[in-house]
């Protein structure tokens, strides 16, 4: 792909982000490319490619913004886990060379939509009174499925299946699957289990009208509602740039230490 216009997005609230931003900008300048520098709170359109410096939260926010412009983003990790990132700050120059030489692919990652809100990882529904267990009624395509007595409900994409949903006991889905996962949080019944549904389904969660509830999008945007909320597949998809040879299952091993005996975890 042709890259005439490149931006660097960074999160100044993260330690070392300014230092890494300056290093990346200088690498690009040395290659004859003048990048535009954007703070995470000042994103704008008009780029062919965007480098993102920060943790998974920074990448999630940037990915949601640029999805509607079909702009690929590439994550450079400065956070703790960096599951969505492709490069460390130590490997920036090598990664830039790979990208400028076209040795990368762009993966489309499905997202969730509820009203004006989108999520790349997940939507989480909880009662505003966090000390209360709530009853949630689940419908798929307007047909009743079950009731959950739980602390909340997670509706996750395959990308987000390794995030909150995994911690709550949900399955890991490969990013290429066209499906969503519905995971109850701390359900008060042993028969309540996560459900995987096709991404073409409409998910409806009904709540107790006596209480207020909040929907969080990727843990970053919050919307208060009562009674009922509908969630569907977004018409936009996030564009994540991945270096050639990047493989999902090796990421599970490298970053989540998947199925490793404790003695091997550093």
């Amino acid at each position: 792909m042709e890259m005439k216009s490149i931006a660097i997005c960074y999160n100044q609230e993260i330690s070392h982000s300014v230092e890494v931003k300056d290093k990346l900008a200088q690498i690009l300048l040395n290659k004859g490319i003048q990048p535009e520098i954007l703070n995470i709170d000042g994103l704008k359109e008009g780029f062919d490619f965007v480098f993102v410096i920060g943790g998974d939260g920074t990448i999630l926010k940037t990915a949601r913004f640029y999805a509607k412009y079909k702009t690929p983003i590439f994550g450079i990790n400065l956070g703790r886990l960096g599951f969505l990132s492709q490069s460390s700050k130590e490997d920036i120059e090598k990664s830039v060379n790979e990208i400028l030489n076209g040795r990368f692919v762009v993966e489309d990652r499905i997202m969730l939509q509820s009203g004006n809100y989108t999520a790349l990882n997940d939507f989480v529904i909880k009662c505003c009174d966090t000390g209360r267990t709530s009853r949630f009624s689940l419908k798929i395509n307007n047909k009743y499925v079950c009731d959950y007595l739980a602390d909340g409900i997670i509706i996750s994409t395959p990308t987000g299946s390794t995030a909150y949903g995994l911690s709550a006991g949900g399955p890991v889905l490969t990013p290429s699957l066209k499906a969503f996962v519905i995971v109850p949080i701390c359900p008060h019944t042993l028969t309540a289990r996560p459900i995987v549904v096709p991404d073409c389904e409409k998910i409806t969660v009904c709540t107790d009208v006596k209480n207020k509830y909040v929907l969080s999008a990727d843990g970053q945007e919050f919307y208060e509602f009562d009674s009922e909320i509908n969630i569907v597949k977004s018409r936009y998809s996030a564009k994540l740039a991945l270096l050639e040879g990047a493989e999902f299952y090796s990421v599970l091993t490298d970053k989540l230490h998947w199925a490793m005996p404790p003695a091997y975890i550093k």
Side-chain angles (χ1 to χ4, degrees), residues 53-117:
I53 299 170
D56 281 345
T58 306
I59 295 174
L60 286 169
K61 183 173 181 177
T62 309
R64 291 197 308 269
F65 179 87
Y66 284 108
K68 56 183 173 289
Y69 304 114
K70 300 181 179 180
T71 304
I73 69 167
F74 180 86
I76 298 168
N77 181 44
L78 295 182
R80 294 185 301 273
L81 181 60
F83 202 84
L84 296 175
S85 60
Q86 276 285 291
S87 176
S88 66
K89 60 184 179 181
E90 292 80 14
D91 294 329
I92 292 178
E93 187 157 10
K94 178 182 177 183
S95 299
V96 169
N97 288 333
E98 294 287 298
I99 289 168
L100 296 183
N101 287 313
R103 292 192 288 269
F104 70 97
V105 296
V106 177
E107 281 193 0
D108 286 349
R109 299 290 184 89
I110 61 174
M111 300 198 300
L112 295 158
Q113 184 84 33
S114 182
N116 294 324
Y117 291 84

Side-chain angles (χ1 to χ4, degrees), residues 11 20 25 31 38 61 66 73 98 101 106-107 115 141 168 181 195 197 203:
N11 188 342
V20 175
K31 297 180 181 298
L38 305 173
K61 183 173 181 177
Y66 284 108
I73 69 167
E98 294 287 298
N101 287 313
V106 177
E107 281 193 0
N141 293 335
V181 185
I195 301 173
V197 300
I203 300 167

Side-chain angles (χ1 to χ4, degrees), residues 152-260:
I153 296 213
I154 304 166
I155 294 90
S156 168
T157 66
T159 299
S161 68
T162 53
Y164 194 2
L166 178 62
S167 299
V172 172
L173 303 184
T174 60
S176 59
L177 283 178
K178 306 301 182 184
F180 298 132
V181 185
I182 303 166
V183 185
I185 303 171
C186 298
H188 285 224
T189 171
L190 294 176
T191 59
R193 291 291 180 265
I195 301 173
V196 179
V197 300
D199 68 356
C200 59
E201 310 275 51
K202 182 178 78 170
I203 300 167
T204 302
V205 178
C206 303
T207 57
D208 184 352
V209 295
K210 297 178 182 179
N211 298 304
K212 291 287 186 180
Y213 291 81
V214 65
L215 175 84
S216 69
D218 290 337
Q220 295 177 332
E221 297 181 321
F222 300 88
Y223 164 68
E224 193 172 294
F225 73 100
D226 53 28
S227 184
E228 181 178 292
I229 198 159
N230 294 309
I231 297 170
V232 296
K233 178 184 176 182
S234 172
R235 63 192 179 101
Y236 301 113
S237 59
K239 309 288 184 181
L240 300 188
L242 308 177
L243 298 178
E244 285 187 355
E247 201 267 330
F248 175 73
Y249 301 105
S250 64
V251 173
L252 288 179
T253 302
D254 295 340
K255 297 191 176 182
L256 290 183
H257 306 294
W258 196 256
M260 282 188 176

